[in-house]
Structures are given as C-alpha cells and as structure tokens.
Amino acid sequence: MALKELLKNKAINGRRLFWLISGPISVAMIIAMSRTDLSSGPAVSSMIQLSVRCAVPLLFIAFASSSVQKLFPGPFGIWMLRNRKYVGLCFAAAMAWQGFFILWMTIIHSDYYANEVYVLRDAIEGVLGYLFLTAMVVTSFKPGRKLLKPRNWRLLHLSGIYFLWAYAFSVYWWNLFYYGAPVLLDYIYYCGGLLAWTMRAAAWGKKRGGLKDTATAAKLLGGAIIVFALVAANTGSVWWQSAENVLKPTAFLESLELWLPYWPFTPFLPLFAFGLGVFLMTKAKA
Ligand code: HEM
C-alpha cells in the first residue's frame, strides 16, 4: 500500500489520531500514579516530569509541521499539516496531566513547592504558557475560533506555539549547558527542539525566495554564520557566561531576569544567528 493511501487511513487521522496518542499517554499516567507514593513533593514532581516528557515531542512535531511540507512536499508533510490541530490537542492533553500534578503539588505539597520549586520567573513563564495553551485549545474549535478575527487567530497560535517551544527548548538548553548533569533524554529533546526550529528557519528561507538569486558572497557569508550558529548551539557551556555579561551590563538589565520571560535569551542567541545566516543566504522574491 502506497504511503499516500496508508496516511489517509482513518485510524491515524483526526479525532482517532487524538485518542490513539492521548489514550495511551493517559493510561501510562494512571499506571504511574498507581505505582507512585504521591504523598511527597518529589514524587509528585516526578509525575510532572513524566507527563511533560510525554508532551514535549508532540509540541515539537506540531511546531515543525508546516515546515516539513514546505521543505519536503509529499504525503507525509500533508499528513502532518492535516493533523497539526490534533497533535496540538494531544500536547494539550499531556500538559493537562502536568497541570493536574502541578495543582496537586502547589495545593497538597505547598511547602515543597514554595521551598524547592518556586522561582518567580519560572512561575510567570509557566502560567503564561498555560494561558497561551488554554487560548489555543479553546480557539481550535469552531465556537472559540469565531471569537477571533483570522489575523488575530493566527497571531495567537503563532506566538503561543513559539512561547511554548521556547519554554521547552530553554529547559533542555539549561539542563545541557548549565546544570551539568544531563540525561540522554535531555540531549534527545534538546536536539528535537533545535531541529524543529532550524526546519522552520529553512522553510522561511525557501518561502522568502531560496538560494537561486543570491550572490555567491552572500551565500558564503550566510553559510559561515549558519555553521558558526550550529557550533554555538552545541557549545553553550563555553560562551553563556560571557554572553550574559555583555547582555546584562547594568543592575537594571540584571534585574529583568527576575521576571521577564526568557531574558536575556541566552539559549536562543545561536538561533538568532542561524536566522541571520538563512536571511543572508536567501533572496526575497520580487
Ligand atoms: C506554572 C506552571 C508550571 C509549573 C509549576 C511547572 C513545574 C515543573 C516542575 C516542578 C518540573 C520538574 C519536574 C522534575 O524534574 O521533577 C517541570 C519540568 C518541566 N516542565 Fe514544567 N511547569 C510549569 C509549566 C510548564 C510549561 C508551560 C511547559 C511548556 C512546555 C513546561 C515544560 C517543562 C519541561 C520541558 C520540563 C522538564 C522535564 C524533564 O525533565 O524532561 N512546564 N515543570
């Protein structure tokens, strides 16, 4: 059976795909709960970790969906675009489990949360993440979608998916390049987040006009910047402190880190460079 026919199968499309993915995730969460003594803060935290580890790959797939079809047009790209909403809803379902355990931790184990977990900036990023996610879920269905003009709907879903991607990507960046005791999954999820972003940047470059009309010098400069960006994206522990010293030279800029989401954007600096490289290598269509 050709891939095209296989990917049209009802079982892996639409609502059925949603239940095919979020059903087993929910069963796994219930089994994990039954095997975990949730009377302690660390135990509930491990359930938070498990639920969000189920969620993050779905986020990265939803984030990269439109780029797959742009870069590699074909049945798989069409399947990803057709089911982007349902993959997004699967992400939301897994995040609902994280939300349930977060409430459990903050209400039942509030001392543990206050003493071991709570950091103002993380809480602001986390709550904003859930506000975006809730608004994206509500407006994924007809009644909710009618509340927004198409332009505002796109703005919400674009800024929302970027905010949520940035949260997950930065968590794994700091796990790899700052906390210094990464596990294998941290590397896999960091690479997944990086790949999803670079695919979006490449798709943007292709949409802009691609390489064909760009001067050789611009291609070489852009290519060199992209290589530099990819090296920097994998050597964060070498340069992050110097970068932060440059970005936070004053007490005021230092103080922004206490509450401003993602400031001073250290994990994303190589990605900005990557974007600049793509911009230089591609020429905007007339
Ligand atoms: C106020 C809201 C939030 C709170 C209180 C919260 C709390 C936590 C806690 C306690 C952990 C550590 C679990 C452990 O390692 O034991 C964690 C991990 C994590 N959270 Fe959240 N979170 C929130 C929102 C979010 C949002 C919106 C995202 C977006 C994707 C997210 C993504 C993650 C990721 C990626 C991890 C790392 C999991 C791993 O170790 O692989 N969280 N969170």
Side-chain angles (χ1 to χ4, degrees):
M1 181 190 285
L3 179 65
K4 199 172 174 183
E5 292 317 308
L6 178 71
L7 290 172
K8 280 189 181 157
N9 188 314
K10 277 196 179 137
I12 55 169
N13 282 280
R15 283 201 191 90
R16 291 188 188 175
L17 178 71
F18 172 79
W19 292 115
L20 191 66
I21 296 174
S22 55
I25 289 176
S26 299
V27 171
M29 299 313 299
I30 293 165
I31 293 172
M33 274 174 79
S34 68
R35 292 183 178 167
T36 309
D37 167 17
L38 296 174
S39 64
S40 76
V44 177
S45 195
S46 71
M47 293 304 294
I48 291 176
Q49 186 182 52
L50 177 66
S51 56
V52 78
R53 283 179 170 179
C54 296
V56 167
L58 299 163
L59 170 65
F60 292 162
I61 292 170
F63 187 62
S65 293
S66 56
S67 316
V68 173
Q69 178 57 7
K70 186 77 192 164
L71 295 171
F72 316 106
F76 187 67
I78 292 168
W79 178 83
M80 285 187 81
L81 267 182
R82 184 168 60 230
N83 290 293
R84 181 169 55 179
K85 167 182 167 181
Y86 296 97
V87 172
L89 291 172
C90 292
F91 166 69
M95 289 297 282
W97 277 107
Q98 188 198 215
F100 168 69
F101 293 116
I102 289 169
L103 288 178
W104 187 316
M105 179 191 276
T106 50
I107 297 169
I108 311 287
H109 304 292
S110 42
D111 286 352
Y112 176 80
Y113 177 72
N115 301 329
E116 305 297 331
V117 178
Y118 176 79
V119 176
L120 174 63
R121 212 262 299 263
D122 292 354
I124 292 172
E125 285 171 3
V127 169
L128 281 175
Y130 271 100
L131 289 175
F132 265 124
L133 186 57
T134 309
M136 292 162 81
V137 169
V138 169
T139 55
S140 291
F141 300 95
K142 273 213 179 81
R145 195 179 180 124
K146 284 188 186 139
L147 300 171
L148 293 177
K149 290 196 192 96
R151 195 169 59 86
N152 295 338
W153 187 92
R154 272 196 301 278
L155 190 62
L156 167 66
H157 283 254
L158 192 64
S159 47
I161 195 121
Y162 265 98
F163 190 93
L164 291 161
W165 164 84
Y167 192 116
F169 178 76
S170 56
V171 165
Y172 294 109
W173 191 93
W174 290 108
N175 280 358
L176 259 62
F177 301 119
Y178 178 77
Y179 290 110
V183 297
L184 177 61
L185 210 63
D186 291 330
Y187 288 98
I188 295 172
Y189 281 11
Y190 174 72
C191 292
L194 182 62
L195 178 66
W197 194 90
T198 52
M199 286 177 74
R200 282 192 79 108
W204 169 69
K206 189 174 179 184
K207 192 174 165 200
R208 242 172 70 76
L211 301 172
K212 63 182 181 322
D213 300 329
T214 318
T216 310
K219 277 183 194 155
L220 290 174
L221 178 61
I225 293 174
I226 287 175
V227 171
F228 166 78
L230 290 174
V231 171
N234 292 287
T235 55
S237 46
V238 175
W239 52 263
W240 78 267
Q241 187 64 74
S242 329
E244 296 219 342
N245 293 345
V246 172
L247 292 164
K248 302 183 296 179
T250 65
F252 170 71
L253 291 173
E254 182 95 32
S255 70
L256 291 178
E257 200 170 11
L258 297 173
W259 61 273
L260 187 61
Y262 310 126
W263 172 259
F265 309 120
T266 314
F268 311 105
L269 298 176
L271 307 187
F272 296 149
F274 189 97
L276 174 65
V278 171
F279 175 80
L280 289 172
M281 282 189 84
T282 56
K283 193 165 170 81
K285 286 183 199 135

